[in-house]
Amino acid sequence: IMSSRSFVTVGITTYNRTSLLPRAIDSVLKQTYPFFKLIISDNASSDATPAICEEYERKDSRITYIRHPKNIGYVENFYSLVRRAQGEYFVWLGDDDWWAPEYLSILVDVLEKNRNYHVAQSSFQYVGEDGVDGAPIVWEGEFDVMHQNYSDLSKNIFTKGRITHYIYGLFRRKFLLECIERPIPERRGWDRIITARIALRTPFYSVRPILRFVTVRGIKIENTF
């Protein structure tokens, strides 16, 4: 039996993504790990997002839907979810991405057993809008983040964008709150700056299985690597 400290808040920020949002939500609800709550933060969508989210909220008590009356910006929407979260852990899921059913279970187990780590992430797969898989991104070789010193890791954060996917990892919630205590304004490269700030404060734990799937829009799949 997991302790109450092992409770996870999952946060989805969304904006006008009705075609893909249900897949993201469903992947959370299908998690094998049972101790979670999902908060969906809608950044003033102008499409059918409210109707979709309200229907999910009505059917499943684990879901809380929040709609901002005006667009507060992508980054502030992320921060707002962390501040609303409860429990030991927090994880952010993009509204166009999705997880394998074991995602939370495996990452919670990792952090429960390795108390000196404050974030864990799985390998992931890019998927084109047409459903075609790109090459898997596995944390090994030059991307073996668990065995890089901070100098090499920080350099790779700014030169190899895939390491910024660690902002979508599972965090100890109080640790992440400390990392955003002085918020970084919305700007180009925000994700790299916050990833570098996180890397200053904790080593990164990676698991090899591909448990996360990332939609790539508007560019050829081979150009994302």
Side-chain angles (χ1 to χ4, degrees):
I1 298 174
M2 307 298 290
S3 67
S4 60
R5 76 181 186 188
S6 304
F7 192 83
V8 180
T9 297
V10 179
I12 295 179
T13 61
T14 191
Y15 176 73
N16 286 356
R17 192 87 72 197
T18 55
S19 63
L20 298 176
L21 178 60
R23 181 178 62 187
I25 297 172
D26 288 339
S27 79
V28 178
L29 301 182
K30 292 176 182 177
Q31 290 298 297
T32 58
Y33 188 80
F35 306 108
F36 71 85
K37 182 177 182 64
L38 169 61
I39 305 176
I40 306 169
S41 185
D42 176 9
N43 211 358
S45 292
S46 57
D47 60 7
T49 295
I52 291 172
C53 293
E54 287 166 1
E55 180 68 8
Y56 271 103
E57 184 181 40
R58 184 182 66 80
K59 290 182 176 180
D60 197 312
S61 61
R62 297 172 295 179
I63 297 176
T64 298
Y65 171 57
I66 298 162
R67 175 174 167 79
H68 297 287
K70 64 179 182 179
N71 194 306
I72 61 174
Y74 170 80
V75 175
E76 180 54 34
N77 203 13
F78 167 70
Y79 290 145
S80 71
L81 276 172
V82 184
R83 297 185 188 113
R84 288 178 180 269
Q86 297 177 316
E88 174 73 5
Y89 299 108
F90 175 83
V91 59
W92 190 34
L93 174 62
D95 61 359
D96 53 354
D97 302 332
W98 71 101
W99 296 334
E102 304 81 16
Y103 185 79
L104 289 182
S105 180
I106 289 175
L107 294 186
V108 168
D109 185 61
V110 160
L111 291 184
E112 290 286 293
K113 293 176 178 177
N114 297 275
R115 303 302 297 181
N116 57 317
Y117 289 84
H118 298 282
V119 62
Q121 179 59 285
S122 73
S123 299
F124 64 95
Q125 179 95 48
Y126 286 118
V127 181
E129 285 184 292
D130 55 5
V132 175
D133 289 349
I137 305 302
V138 180
W139 303 112
E140 59 186 20
E142 64 177 317
F143 297 105
D144 183 4
V145 294
M146 290 186 67
H147 298 98
Q148 290 180 354
N149 60 42
Y150 178 71
S151 176
D152 290 338
L153 180 59
S154 60
K155 178 181 70 176
N156 287 335
I157 287 170
F158 286 99
T159 59
K160 297 177 171 65
R162 67 194 70 176
I163 298 178
T164 62
H165 283 265
Y166 259 82
I167 64 172
Y168 292 96
L170 181 73
F171 287 92
R172 299 191 195 279
R173 180 181 61 86
K174 290 182 179 178
F175 167 82
L176 186 56
L177 277 172
E178 292 171 359
C179 291
I180 66 169
E181 190 173 5
R182 290 191 302 122
I184 299 168
E186 189 153 343
R187 65 177 72 175
R188 184 177 176 85
W190 167 85
D191 52 352
R192 300 189 184 209
I193 297 170
I194 193 68
T195 306
R197 180 183 287 183
I198 291 163
L200 277 171
R201 304 171 67 113
T202 182
F204 290 174
Y205 200 105
S206 62
V207 299
R208 197 182 190 285
I210 295 170
L211 304 172
R212 181 171 164 263
F213 302 88
V214 179
T215 299
V216 179
R217 301 185 308 276
I219 57 176
K220 291 183 179 180
I221 193 77
E222 62 264 27
N223 292 337
T224 62
F225 313 114

